[in-house]
Amino acid sequence: GDATFVAGTAHPLAGAGVLRLAAAKGESGSAMSTEPLDASYGLHVRFRFRLANNKCHWGCGKKTAGVTLVLASDPPDKAPGPGGNCSVTLAPQDANIPSISPLQVHTFMSCGGYLGLPNSVGVVVSIDPSHLITGDASRGSAALFVGGDVRDGGSLNGTSRAYAQIVDPPAEPLVDADHEALFVWQASAAMAYLFLDGAELPAFSAQLAPGDGGWAPARTFVGFTAETGHEMSLDVWGVRAATPAVDGEHTTLVPRPLQLLTACELNTVVLDPRDSCGFPILRPGADGDWRVEVRPFPGEEHSEHLRARVVDLRARDDGTYDLTFEATEAGNYTVMGTPVNGTFHAPHADARPPLFEIGTVEVRACTRAGWLSAIPAR
């Protein structure tokens, strides 16, 4: 759900629902959620941000500005980091940057105020100080750090886990425009992903395991830090932080090699719940978590004679479900379903969750003489 941020030094803008983390040159700010989340099974954080009112020229040098999404097991009790200009130097060998000419690699980025925060993870989005000139202000970078450690990666063994250039955002330039970020931590694979502006591919991915940087996912406070060496305002809003919820639209069936489904007997297929990013939900569920139907495949020949009914839906320890059904005749059938407590976009408050197409199965003809189905008509 929506995160509530009151701890820190950010300034809420009246009537706008925006947190202004920094408003002028040399400022830093922070905001942290007041209650922790249990992110043991994963975490999604979606937020909008704006790095605005930048005016710069060649004389800016290494001065930078940035915003950091912070996942902390212990919320900071004071504004983190120094004000103004904390920059990081990254060379091609750092953070798995491709080994190409250093002249082709973004080398300076802001710490985004993420400094000295123990037991935490920081995802920094920074402007590129070498490109803050008219007509070329869309460049920036994103990186992941842990444990509040943002030492210079070029000379002091920095701890960045991932790094990516933001060369050409798909919508608007990085500076003086609104952008949306989605951070996803997939617990089962111990992987972190950052998506920008609705892109299908992540800006970066990195290994991130429980305990890295002292972060304990079971107690996660979500927040932000920011700082600027320029005359800029750094804002965040529209923040939503939640553990992964089952999304019927992305849920699928687990294929079983050589599995043969027939009209002679009860058939069992495996339902594999996924979240909105398509990642599996690996926490155990309950038998009543889903509403499921098995229907004749649309357009199937003689579909008026095909009927099927769900006999049982049983939760498994790995987060999947055994779906048992029987069918009247051979043909293709579509499994439709929706999570009882999942998320969906409803046109009005009392709307019933829609049934999503989860998968299609082929049922073969019965070869047992004298077998009759007792499936009632719907």
Side-chain angles (χ1 to χ4, degrees):
D2 293 327
T4 301
F5 297 94
V6 297
T9 59
H11 308 287
L13 300 186
V18 174
L19 285 173
R20 176 145 292 174
L21 296 163
K25 181 177 180 180
E27 282 197 0
S28 63
S30 66
M32 297 297 296
S33 59
T34 56
E35 297 293 334
L37 287 171
D38 182 354
S40 300
Y41 292 101
L43 181 67
H44 292 182
V45 183
R46 189 183 301 273
F47 63 97
R48 298 190 66 83
F49 66 93
R50 182 190 303 115
L51 314 177
N53 301 323
N54 175 71
K55 302 296 179 185
C56 195
H57 51 77
W58 288 105
C60 287
K62 296 183 181 180
K63 294 178 180 177
T64 58
V67 171
T68 302
L69 167 66
V70 178
L71 310 178
S73 295
D74 298 309
D77 55 5
K78 59 181 180 181
N85 187 46
C86 171
S87 61
V88 181
T89 303
L90 293 174
Q93 67 270 22
D94 299 318
N96 298 318
I97 299 174
S99 297
I100 57 178
S101 168
L103 296 178
Q104 296 174 286
V105 176
H106 175 101
T107 54
F108 301 112
M109 67 173 295
S110 171
C111 298
Y114 180 71
L115 183 65
L117 294 181
N119 306 323
S120 69
V121 172
V123 180
V124 184
V125 178
S126 167
I127 59 174
D128 186 335
S130 63
H131 293 281
L132 290 178
I133 57 176
T134 302
D136 196 16
S138 65
R139 297 176 183 243
S141 60
L144 185 147
F145 296 92
V146 298
D149 188 352
V150 289
R151 290 174 294 174
D152 189 318
S155 59
L156 296 176
N157 300 316
T159 58
S160 55
R161 298 299 180 87
Y163 171 90
Q165 285 183 285
I166 306 174
V167 177
D168 187 15
E172 300 288 342
L174 185 61
V175 175
D176 287 332
D178 297 350
H179 296 280
E180 183 175 69
L182 170 63
F183 175 80
V184 175
W185 182 59
Q186 187 186 11
S188 59
M191 289 293 295
Y193 304 86
L194 178 68
F195 298 86
L196 293 175
D197 294 321
E200 294 185 2
L201 297 177
F204 70 64
S205 61
Q207 288 189 331
L208 180 64
D212 286 353
W215 175 48
R219 176 181 164 85
T220 298
F221 292 85
V222 178
F224 294 88
T225 62
E227 66 173 0
T228 175
H230 304 296
E231 290 294 340
M232 299 188 71
S233 59
L234 308 181
D235 303 330
V236 295
W237 70 98
V239 182
R240 295 187 63 83
T243 54
V246 178
D247 188 314
E249 191 171 5
H250 290 81
T251 292
T252 185
L253 296 178
V254 177
R256 285 184 169 179
L258 304 180
Q259 183 181 22
L260 182 64
L261 307 178
T262 72
C264 300
E265 56 193 2
L266 298 180
N267 299 289
T268 299
V269 294
V270 178
L271 189 118
D272 184 13
R274 300 295 177 107
D275 64 22
S276 60
C277 293
F279 295 130
I281 302 289
L282 298 179
R283 59 179 178 269
D287 295 345
D289 283 347
W290 282 80
R291 180 167 65 92
V292 180
E293 296 179 7
V294 180
R295 303 173 179 174
F297 185 78
E300 182 77 0
E301 187 177 1
H302 307 304
S303 60
E304 67 275 11
H305 302 297
L306 302 181
R307 294 193 304 276
R309 73 179 179 95
V310 173
V311 175
D312 190 33
L313 182 68
R314 194 164 299 276
R316 296 156 50 113
D317 291 340
D318 62 358
T320 62
Y321 295 79
D322 282 331
L323 168 63
T324 302
F325 71 97
E326 60 180 354
T328 56
E329 298 183 24
N332 291 319
Y333 293 82
T334 300
V335 178
M336 307 289 293
T338 190
V340 174
N341 296 314
T343 58
F344 70 102
H345 299 287
H348 46 82
D350 58 350
R352 193 177 189 189
L355 290 175
F356 297 99
E357 181 177 333
I358 295 174
T360 302
V361 295
E362 180 184 3
V363 175
R364 301 294 182 89
C366 179
T367 59
R368 299 179 188 175
W371 184 87
L372 295 175
S373 173
I375 302 178
R378 287 192 295 176

